[in-house]
Amino acid sequence: MKYLTKIKDTEIVVEIERVDDHFQVQIDGDSYHAEMFQLDGAESYLFRINNEPHQIEITKKDHQYSVSYRGDNYLCHIEDERLARLRSSIKGSEQSQTEHVVSTPMPGLIVEINVAVGQEVRKGESLLTIEAMKMENEISAPEDAVVTEINVAEKQAVEMGQELLVLEYIE
Amino acid sequence: MKYLTKIKDTEIVVEIERVDDHFQVQIDGDSYHAEMFQLDGAESYLFRINNEPHQIEITKKDHQYSVSYRGDNYLCHIEDERLARLRSSIKGSEQSQTEHVVSTPMPGLIVEINVAVGQEVRKGESLLTIEAMKMENEISAPEDAVVTEINVAEKQAVEMGQELLVLEYIE
Amino acid sequence: MIKKVLIANRGEIAVRIIRACKESGIRTVAIFSDADVTSLHVRMAEEAYHVGPAPSAESYLYIGRIIDVAKKSGTDAIHPGYGFLAENPVFAKEVKAAGVIFIGPEADTIELLGDKMAARKRMIDAGVPVVPGSETKVDDIESASRFAGEIGYPVLIKAAAGGGGKGMRIVRKSEEMTAALRMAQNEARSAFGDERIYIEKYLERPRHIEIQIMADTHGNVVHLGERECSIQRRHQKVIEETPSPVVDDELRQRMGETAVRAAKASNYVNAGTVEFLLDQQKNFYFLEVNTRLQVEHPVTELVTGIDLAKEQIRVANGEKLSFTQESIRWNGAALECRIYAEDPDSEFMPSIGKITEYREPSGPGVRVDSGLDHFGQVSIYYDPLISKLCTWGNDRDEAISRMRRALAEYRIQGVKTVIPFHLLVMNHEKFIAGDLSTHFIGEELAQMQEQNPMAEDTMKKIAIFCAMVEQQHQNQVQNIHSDRNDKVKSAWKMKGRQRIA
Amino acid sequence: MIKKVLIANRGEIAVRIIRACKESGIRTVAIFSDADVTSLHVRMAEEAYHVGPAPSAESYLYIGRIIDVAKKSGTDAIHPGYGFLAENPVFAKEVKAAGVIFIGPEADTIELLGDKMAARKRMIDAGVPVVPGSETKVDDIESASRFAGEIGYPVLIKAAAGGGGKGMRIVRKSEEMTAALRMAQNEARSAFGDERIYIEKYLERPRHIEIQIMADTHGNVVHLGERECSIQRRHQKVIEETPSPVVDDELRQRMGETAVRAAKASNYVNAGTVEFLLDQQKNFYFLEVNTRLQVEHPVTELVTGIDLAKEQIRVANGEKLSFTQESIRWNGAALECRIYAEDPDSEFMPSIGKITEYREPSGPGVRVDSGLDHFGQVSIYYDPLISKLCTWGNDRDEAISRMRRALAEYRIQGVKTVIPFHLLVMNHEKFIAGDLSTHFIGEELAQMQEQNPMAEDTMKKIAIFCAMVEQQHQNQVQNIHSDRNDKVKSAWKMKGRQRIA
C-alpha cells in the first residue's frame, strides 16, 4: 500500500509491503526493513528500522498524526493513495490558502486587543495580549497580513485553542 | 451499608454511609471521615481518612481484594451483610478446613519429588525441588501433614500457580 | 524540637521539602487547593488539608486558612517553599504570632530585603556594590523618563516588590517608556498587589551569578559558593550551574565574603541567596537577596554534599549549622535544567494538559526533583514547572554530557516541554565553552532553531512511523475477523502479533 | 578509537553501559532474545539485533551469533556486563580473534581467576592470605567427606567455575554431605556447564568485604576502596555499602594493597573486584576475583565520583586511568539495595509477571539503575533483578535515612518485590549499628518478620479501602443510569465523581 505523508511542507510517499515477519518500506527508491511493536501504553510504539530501534508516542486525529520522537513533537498528515486521488480531484474547491486563523496557545484572559478589523499588520507585530499565570503574553502576527475578523473582546476569558482572530496574508 | 472484611485471621466489620461530600465510616464504634479518589491508572486510588492521604493499588478477584500499600501486599476477603448471612447459613457444607493445596509460586521445572502419596511430613520438610532461573528451589510443607495427592511428575515444566500436591494437615 | 512540618506550597518544592522531612524523621502536613486534590505532594504527605479553590489567592495565598490548618494539625513549623507566601513578611509574622516556627528569616529581614529600594540603601551602607539606579520609586512617565535620561538608556524597570522577572521590562529608547511602564505596573499589581516600580541602569551582556548563604541563630553565616543562572527566558532562569565557568577561587571568595556581609547587614537567618550581576570586566553588582530556598538549590547540594532543606530545619530548630566555612568542599560540577511545560517554538508559552506518559531519567549523576508523576497534570493556575533535572560530573564537560544523556532519556507526553530547547543549548558551542550572558537565549535561540531544521532522515522516519500505524489501523478494521486462524511462522511474527493485534 | 560498542547483555547492566556509552559519545548496539524484543535496553540503544530464543544458552550465551552481530554492525568493542559471558575466557578470546576489543581483562587472566583452585594457588604464591581449603577438585563423596573431616565442619562446597552463589552449599555435618554435593554439582553443571567443585573451611559469622580495583594497559593498578556486602540471601548479595562500618583507613590501605598485589599477580587489566572474608578478629582472607564490573559498583561511584563504566571504556581504548591512587577522595557513604522481584515472605522465591505500575524514587542522594520501566516484565528466563536502588549521604546515617525514604517512595505493582524486606533491614538496630555478618538474614529475618506483625491500625485501613472500593463497584452496577443528572453540590463532590464515575 502507498501512503502520501506530509510533514511541514515536505511530501513523502511511503510504500509498505508485508514480507514474511516484517515490513518492506520504500521511499524514493530506498528500501527499509521495518518492524513495529505496540508497547502496552495505548500510544507507545517501538519501531526497528534497519536494526535501529525508535521508541515513539503517536496519536491520531482524523488524517493527522502527532508523533513524539526523541523529545520533539512532529505533525504528519497522511492519506493513502485512494484518498489522495480523491482529494486532488476536488482541490479546486478548497479554502483560500491565504486565510489564517489565529488561535490561543493557552487559556487566559484577553487584556488588550491592539488591532482592528481591516488593519494591516507586519510580521511580528502585536495583535493582542493575553494574561495567563500572572504573565502577560503577546500574540503577534505570523506573517504580513490584514486583519479580517476579531472574535474576542477585552477582559474576555478564553479557552486553550479558541479562535481569536482571522488574518488574510499579504503575498 | 455494612461489609464484613477478613484480613489474615482478623474479621473487621466496616459500616459506610455517604454524608454530603464524603463518607462516614464506622469500625468498632470508632468513626472515620473518608474520601476516595480514583487516580487515572486503572487500579490506583487515593484515600483520605481523617486527613491522612493513602495511595494504594487494589485489584479485585471475586470477593478477594489484593491491596498494595506502602510497599507491602495484603489480601482482604470481603462480603456485604447479605452475602455474609447467606454464607453462614450454608457453612456446614464447606470443604474440610484441614485440606491444603500446594501450588508453585514460580514457573519452572520439577527436578525432584521427595515425597509419596500417604507419606507423613513435618512442617518445613522438603516436598519437592523446582528449578527456575538456574537455581534449585525447595518447596516445603507449611505444617505437619499427610500427602494426599501428587499432581506433577519429575522433569515436568509447571506454570506459575499450578497445583503441585495436596496435603491434609495433622491437627 | 520540630516534629511536624506544614509545607505551605505545592508542586516540586513541596515534594522536595517532604523528602527532607521524611529523611529527618519529621511528620509532614500538605495543603491543597481544588486543583491539587490528588497531586503528588498530597499523596506523599502524612496529612493533607484542603485550603480552598484553585486560584492561588483563595488557597495557597490564604494566610488565615493556612494558619488554621497549622493549628488544627498540631504543626510545629511551617516551610513556605519558594513563591506564594515565601517572601511575604505578613505571613512570617502571623505564623510566629500563632506560636508556630517559620522556616526562614525573620519577618523584618524579609520585609527589608523584599523592598528592593530599601535593600539597595542598606547594601550601599554596608559597602556592597550595587547597580546605578533610582533610590526612590518612580511612578509617573515624566520622572521615569527624566531619570532614565540621567543614567542613560538602556534601563531596566523593576517591581519594588518583585522577583522572578514579574513586572520587569527593559527599555532601550525613550519612546518605549510609556508602554513598558504601564505593563510593568500592571504585572506588578497583579503579581504582588503592589505597583511600585523603580529604574536601574541596564548592564549589557551581564552574567547572573548568585551566592548561596546559610546562617544560624548563633551568629554563624557561611556561603556555599556561587551558581551561574545566566540562561534566562522572559527574565526567568531556565538553566543553572555551579561552579560558574568564569568564577575562580579568588572571585568566589570575594563574592562569598560580600554575600556574607550582605546577610549580616540584614540580620539574616536560615537559607538565602544573594544575587549579583557580573559584567564583562568581572565587576559584580548586588541585585537582590532572595529570602528563601531557591528553585536552583540542588546544584549547590550536588557539589557540596550538604542538604540545604534539612539544614533549614536544623536552623529553625535552633541548632548550629552542621558545617563551617572551612569545612565546605566543592566537588565537581553540577547543572540544572528546569523542565517547564512550555513550547520553546512559540515563545515559551505554557502548555497545559494531562500527562499521558511519564518516565524520568536516572542512573549515574542524575537527580530529578519533580512535582508530579504519570497521574499528574499541568494546571492553568500555577507555574508550569514539571521538574528540575540536575546532573553532576567530575567536571563541567561530564555534567553536560550527562545532561544530554538524561534529557534524551526523559519521556513526557501530553504537554509540550522545553526539553528540545535544553538539548539545543547543551550542544551549543558557546554554552559548551562557558560563554554565557543573560542575553544568551535572545541572541542565540532563533539561530539555534534555524540551524536545527528537521533532518531529511528524521522526516523519513516520521513518515514511516505514521504510514505503518495508519496501515495497522486499516488492517485492524479490515481483518478483525478474517485472520484469527492464521498460522504464525516465526517467533518474530508471533511477537509482533501479540503486541499489535 | 572506540566509536561503537556492542553490549552482550540485557537488563539493568545493559542500560547502565548504554548510559556510559552515550555520555562518552559512543554508539551502542544492543542484542536481544525473543523475550526482550521490546525491553528497555533495546529501546535505549541506537542499534539492536536479535540473537535467538528466550533461553540464555540459545541467545545471550550464543558466542558465535553475538560475534556475527558485532561484525555485521561494525562494532569496535564488546562490553560483556556481568553474568552471561562476562567471565567466559572463550568468549574473550573469540572476540579478540574477530578483531574486536573485549572490554575487560585478557582471556588468560579470566581463565586463571575463573578457576577458583588455580586462583587460590596463584594468590598463595603472591602472599595473599586465603581461607584453608582443598587445593584440588573434589568430585566424589569419599574424598569430600575425608577432606571436610580434616579441616573440620562446617565446610563450604563451591563450584570451581562459580560465582553469584550458584553451586554453593554449606555443610554442617557429615550426614548432609551426600545431598549437598549432588545439588551443588547439579547447579554448577546447569549454571556453568562445569560440575567441578571444591571445599573450603567455612568461617563463622564473617563479613564479606571486597575491594574495587582498576588497572590500565600502562601498568597502573589502583584500588578504589572497599564495599561491604555481608547482607546476603541464598549466598547472593542483596545490600551493599561503602565504606564498611568496620574498615578504618589503616585496614582499607592494607586490604587495598593486598588487592592490588592480587591484581598484579594475575596481570590484571580493566575493572575487577577482589573479594575477601573478614573474620571477627579483622583477619581477611582472599575469596576470589570477579573479573568484571560488579552489580554493586555504583556505591563506589557515589563516594569516589569516578564513573567505572566510562573508565572501563577508556582503559579498553588504551588510555591511561584518569586518576591515581593518590588523587582518589572517598566522600560520604553510599548504600545499595537490590530490588529483586522476589517474595521475602516465601524464601525469596522469584515473582514473575508484568509490571502494571512503576514509579522510581528520585530527589537528593538517590540513584536508580533499572532495566525496565512501566512497559516491562520480569521474565522466567533471567535474573529477577528489577533495579538497584542506591543512596548517598554525608555519613552512613544519612544514607540509611535516604534509603528508607526512597524505598517507601518506590512503587512497583504486578510482581512482589523485596522492598518490604529492605525496609525491615533499614530499621533493624543491628544494621543501623553496623553489626553485620553474612548470616544476618538467616539469623535475623524470621525474627524481623515476627516482630513486624500487621498493626491493628493498618488492618483497619485496609478494611476501609476494600469496603469503599467494593461499595463503589456495587453502586456503579446499580446506579449506572439512574444518577447521571444529579446535581453536584460542591467542588469536592464533583472532583470525586469526575475521578470515580
Side-chain angles (χ1 to χ4, degrees), chain B residues 35 37-46 48 50-55 57 70, chain C residues 27 32 37-40 42-50 72 354 373-375:
Chain B
E35 293 153 326
F37 306 93
Q38 193 158 5
L39 301 174
D40 286 354
E43 301 172 343
S44 294
Y45 290 84
L46 172 65
R48 282 213 313 143
N50 292 350
N51 291 311
E52 290 182 4
H54 306 278
Q55 183 177 347
E57 277 81 40
R70 299 195 176 158
Chain C
R27 196 168 162 91
F32 59 94
V37 173
T38 62
S39 291
L40 186 61
V42 172
R43 283 182 272 136
M44 285 182 69
E46 275 92 10
E47 298 176 34
Y49 294 84
H50 181 236
K72 184 162 61 175
K354 242 215 75 30
D373 57 10
H374 52 294
F375 300 129

Side-chain angles (χ1 to χ4, degrees), chain D residues 253-408:
Chain D
Q253 197 184 330
R254 272 200 296 132
M255 292 184 78
E257 283 167 4
T258 306
V260 168
R261 193 154 69 236
K264 286 183 173 164
S266 47
N267 300 315
Y268 207 88
V269 167
N270 217 305
T273 300
V274 185
E275 295 190 332
F276 297 98
L277 288 181
L278 184 76
D279 71 14
Q280 313 221 337
Q281 292 71 45
K282 296 207 183 178
N283 301 305
F284 57 90
Y285 304 95
F286 172 83
L287 212 54
E288 60 183 32
V289 180
N290 289 143
T291 58
R292 52 171 161 86
L293 194 65
Q294 275 186 301
V295 177
E296 60 270 26
H297 74 276
V299 293
T300 299
E301 295 184 326
L302 283 167
V303 299
T304 63
I306 293 166
D307 187 316
L308 288 167
K310 286 197 283 200
E311 202 69 26
Q312 283 194 296
I313 298 170
R314 287 177 59 90
V315 166
N317 234 332
E319 294 171 60
K320 284 190 184 177
L321 291 179
S322 67
F323 50 87
T324 63
Q325 191 65 64
E326 291 68 37
S327 71
I328 292 175
R329 292 283 167 277
W330 290 282
N331 186 19
L335 271 174
E336 172 178 286
C337 286
R338 299 192 189 186
I339 310 298
Y340 281 104
E342 290 178 347
D343 184 357
D345 294 333
S346 304
E347 294 167 22
F348 295 97
M349 287 271 187
S351 173
I352 308 300
K354 243 215 75 29
I355 304 289
T356 55
E357 157 80 2
Y358 189 75
R359 159 92 175 170
E360 289 171 0
S362 190
V366 174
R367 167 176 169 181
V368 187
D369 285 88
S370 68
L372 49 73
D373 57 12
H374 53 294
F375 299 129
Q377 51 190 8
V378 179
S379 153
I380 168 179
Y381 297 104
Y382 316 112
D383 245 32
L385 182 62
I386 294 174
S387 73
K388 306 179 313 199
L389 172 58
C390 297
T391 55
W392 179 90
N394 262 303
D395 53 28
R396 189 171 185 266
D397 285 345
E398 186 173 51
I400 292 174
S401 69
R402 283 194 167 142
M403 184 59 84
R404 276 189 215 120
R405 190 268 289 170
L407 287 164

Side-chain angles (χ1 to χ4, degrees), chain C residues 45 79 85 114 130 143 170 202 208 234 246 262 274 287 291 310 318 333 354 361 367 386 422 439 449 460 496:
Chain C
H79 196 306
L85 298 168
V130 302
S143 48
I170 301 165
Y202 180 66
H208 177 113
R234 302 158 153 248
V246 291
V274 185
L287 213 52
T291 57
K310 284 196 284 198
K354 242 215 75 30
R367 166 176 169 181
I386 295 174
H422 285 307
H439 299 201
Q449 288 174 333
K460 284 183 182 168

